[in-house]
Amino acid sequence: MKMTGKDLFAALSFVDDALILEAEEAKPARRVVSMQAVRRVGALAACVCVLVGWAFAADLLNRADSTAGEAASMADSAVQTADGESAEAGAAEGAADAGAAYGGEIIDGYRGGDEVATCYAAPQDGTWTIEQPLQDMLDSFAGEDVRFLVTFELFSGETHIDRTDAAYIEEAQRLAAAGYDLRLLPQQTADGAAQCLCGLFTAEQLEQFDALETYGYDFYFPQNADGTPLDWNDPAAEPVG
């Protein structure tokens, strides 16, 4: 027999009210969670998240510092190696330049017969003179790839400066640093063995000499006491600078 909704409602009307009350009281009570407890749990979870985040960030920073330190160390090592190699290459190049001997023709004296004795006035400061025998050779070899073995006297205020004077030595060092090829060559003088500061100059270097305004210069061919020229390639020669 099929029961309808009306039949169900009619049947319920016969249930004892005491039974309904008992069933109502038997329902499980709902658990109520206070908002304060919820807030505490939330705060604790937030603190945990912050601590974990800090720990993760600190680990990343430590790794980044370590990587940067290693990279910097490698870069420094590379720079030091490159600097060392450059310094060695520079030193080797300088040594090669210093040891290289000029292989062309050297004009070391007058080649026009007997020299004519002449007198020369002391050059004024900031100027230089070229004695006549040297000037004749410059004219004779004009345009040719030759070098001239010369020496010079130094003057200041038209007063001669001795070669042993500190001013002469400093000026020689300045010229060597400026690129002039200078050497101390053995020389036989009337007083015995000595050294003479000489240079191997091109015609252009003599004609466009880098003179200081405080000095005057007199260029000429150096000689031994017997009139023979000095030897630029003498094994006892000492480079200047």
Side-chain angles (χ1 to χ4, degrees):
M1 175 179 162
K2 184 178 181 180
M3 180 180 287
T4 66
K6 289 181 179 182
D7 295 332
L8 181 59
F9 181 75
L12 289 174
S13 63
F14 293 102
V15 177
D16 190 352
D17 292 339
L19 294 175
I20 295 175
L21 181 60
E22 183 181 353
E24 179 68 19
E25 291 175 352
K27 291 195 315 180
R30 294 181 58 189
R31 184 179 179 183
V32 179
V33 180
S34 66
M35 289 301 297
Q36 184 176 5
V38 173
R39 291 173 181 170
R40 288 180 180 176
V41 173
L44 179 59
C47 290
V48 172
C49 290
V50 170
L51 291 175
V52 172
W54 281 351
F56 183 69
D59 183 62
L60 288 179
L61 289 175
N62 288 335
R63 292 183 181 180
D65 290 342
S66 177
T67 303
E70 292 176 359
S73 178
M74 293 176 63
D76 290 341
S77 298
V79 170
Q80 291 175 0
T81 301
D83 290 344
E85 291 175 352
S86 298
E88 291 176 0
E93 182 178 355
D97 290 343
Y102 172 68
E105 184 176 6
I106 296 176
I107 310 302
D108 54 12
Y110 183 66
R111 300 182 180 181
D114 295 334
E115 294 185 29
V116 178
T118 55
C119 295
Y120 302 94
Q124 297 181 353
D125 292 345
T127 67
W128 65 98
T129 56
I130 297 177
E131 296 192 9
Q132 194 61 48
L134 175 55
Q135 184 62 59
D136 288 345
M137 294 299 96
L138 286 170
D139 295 339
S140 296
F141 291 93
E144 297 186 31
D145 184 17
V146 298
R147 301 289 187 274
F148 299 86
L149 197 168
V150 301
T151 188
F152 65 89
E153 301 296 334
L154 192 65
F155 299 82
S156 179
E158 300 185 13
T159 299
H160 182 261
I161 298 176
D162 192 88
R163 289 173 179 258
T164 60
D165 193 283
Y168 190 101
I169 297 172
E170 290 176 1
E171 178 59 6
Q173 292 173 342
R174 182 191 73 85
L175 293 174
Y180 292 95
D181 191 0
L182 303 181
R183 293 181 183 180
L184 289 171
L185 299 183
Q187 183 182 34
Q188 292 295 326
T189 69
D191 297 327
Q195 285 185 315
C196 179
L197 177 71
C198 301
L200 203 60
F201 283 58
T202 65
E204 182 179 4
Q205 286 177 319
L206 286 168
E207 294 167 356
Q208 300 180 14
F209 180 67
D210 181 20
L212 286 183
E213 293 296 326
T214 52
Y215 296 126
Y217 308 77
D218 178 43
F219 287 93
Y220 60 96
F221 287 123
Q223 295 179 339
N224 292 305
D226 60 1
T228 57
L230 304 191
D231 182 4
W232 179 255
N233 294 313
D234 191 306
E238 300 176 10
V240 176

